[in-house]
Amino acid sequence: ALNRIGLRVVMDVVYNHLDSSGPCGISSVLDKIVPGYYVRRDTNGQIENSAAMNNTASEHFMVDRLIVDDLLNWAVNYKIDGFRFDLMGHIMKHTMMRAKSALQSLTRDAHGVDGSKIYLYGEGWDFAEVARNQRGINGSQLNMSGTGIGSFNDRIRDAVNGGNPFGNPLQQGFNTGLFLEPNGFYQGNEADTRRSLATYADQIQIGLAGNLRDYVLITHTGEAKEGSEIHTFDGLPVGYTSSPIEIINYVSAHDNETLFDVISVK
């Protein structure tokens, strides 16, 4: 109904974990169909829980198929216009690419849907058992360049707010007073904080240019560098996209504090 009145609808999809597993749980479904097949296990045979609980294994053929088939169901029968993938980095890249291809093949004449307008994006975090492609090439930020699939930009978030959601909450950033209005939490001497603020400014400019890896920026040191040559404090490239469509810039989301609270506490 929303679609019919002209609104485009994006659905948050959580394919990376199950609510329950095993033969007895009331909400255990897939694990009862083929016990042990749909979940990802460690070398000791225990179920991986880094995605909350009961991580799914899209590197397995029928998990991959289930995800793609389900997306097609939502697109064709409910006219969903976009999908936001929870922990996309825990889903294999080939699954994401198959999903995009299948959705884009939908036509208005045959399916009542223009698949070319369906947008895919998600949380491209690279951590836990899938980190560094340990289970296959995953849907993490650096792997998705050139796919046309978007990922959330934590680089601009951390530069604007300061620090990161897992560090000391008093770490300041570009809009929370770093160097200019110190809050009493030691973040280095005056030269250090001035340099950090200038570095954050570079990262924000890359973000405003779509986080393009080949965007050329004159940095705070006066050097001309491409986005991929500018790095975060953790050593990751700031620019990693091939197109602005592959980035979702944000400073506040459903995780962690709101922007108002972040500014207040810092």
Side-chain angles (χ1 to χ4, degrees):
L2 290 168
N3 193 274
R4 280 197 297 272
I5 64 173
L7 292 176
R8 289 172 59 76
V9 180
V10 173
M11 189 168 80
D12 183 3
V13 287
V14 185
Y15 293 120
N16 56 78
H17 76 94
L18 305 176
D19 177 69
S20 183
S21 62
C24 301
I26 294 174
S27 58
S28 174
V29 178
L30 296 180
D31 214 26
K32 290 178 181 177
I33 298 173
V34 184
Y37 177 78
Y38 289 89
V39 290
R40 181 180 289 139
R41 297 178 181 273
D42 63 20
T43 53
N44 295 318
Q46 300 300 307
I47 296 174
E48 296 281 6
N49 293 308
S50 59
M53 61 171 77
N54 303 307
N55 294 6
T56 55
S58 69
E59 59 270 27
H60 297 171
F61 181 86
M62 290 303 291
V63 182
D64 170 275
R65 178 176 171 179
L66 176 64
I67 292 171
V68 175
D69 285 354
D70 195 53
L71 289 165
L72 288 172
N73 173 52
W74 284 109
V76 173
N77 295 314
Y78 297 92
K79 306 300 183 280
I80 298 297
D81 300 284
F83 297 94
R84 177 261 189 210
F85 289 78
D86 188 61
L87 294 188
M88 184 173 70
H90 270 55
I91 300 172
M92 293 300 110
K93 179 180 178 179
H94 68 76
T95 301
M96 295 301 302
M97 296 307 297
R98 280 215 325 116
K100 182 186 177 189
S101 177
L103 290 167
Q104 288 196 330
S105 71
L106 300 176
T107 64
R108 197 168 295 282
D109 289 342
H111 309 97
V113 173
D114 182 357
S116 67
K117 294 183 178 179
I118 294 176
Y119 183 53
L120 306 182
Y121 66 103
E123 296 179 308
W125 318 135
D126 188 40
F127 70 99
E129 79 276 4
V130 299
R132 299 175 299 280
N133 303 315
Q134 294 179 80
R135 299 298 181 100
I137 299 175
N138 63 346
S140 58
Q141 291 169 323
L142 300 184
N143 289 335
M144 300 308 284
S145 177
T147 65
I149 296 173
S151 63
F152 285 99
N153 183 8
D154 55 339
R155 277 74 156 157
I156 201 168
R157 176 201 69 192
D158 292 345
V160 168
N161 294 336
N164 62 68
F166 309 103
N168 191 298
L170 294 179
Q171 287 183 288
Q172 294 172 283
F174 188 84
N175 78 332
T176 54
L178 181 64
F179 172 69
L180 299 172
E181 293 186 49
N183 62 12
F185 173 67
Y186 184 73
Q187 298 162 84
N189 59 35
E190 184 174 307
D192 292 334
T193 54
R194 182 191 291 269
R195 184 166 52 251
S196 295
L197 179 60
T199 301
Y200 277 151
D202 289 344
Q203 294 179 13
I204 291 170
Q205 289 185 76
I206 294 294
L208 293 176
N211 250 50
L212 295 170
R213 60 185 183 184
D214 57 0
Y215 174 76
V216 178
L217 171 75
I218 304 300
T219 71
H220 69 277
T221 63
E223 303 172 276
K225 289 188 175 182
E226 294 185 349
S228 60
E229 297 175 317
I230 297 174
H231 293 85
T232 67
F233 292 112
D234 294 331
L236 296 172
V238 174
Y240 61 84
T241 70
S242 299
S243 165
I245 201 173
E246 295 172 354
I247 206 72
I248 303 291
N249 281 342
Y250 77 107
V251 292
S252 178
H254 69 289
D255 287 325
N256 315 114
E257 297 84 2
T258 66
L259 181 60
F260 180 91
D261 289 343
V262 162
I263 293 172
S264 298
V265 77
K266 291 178 184 289

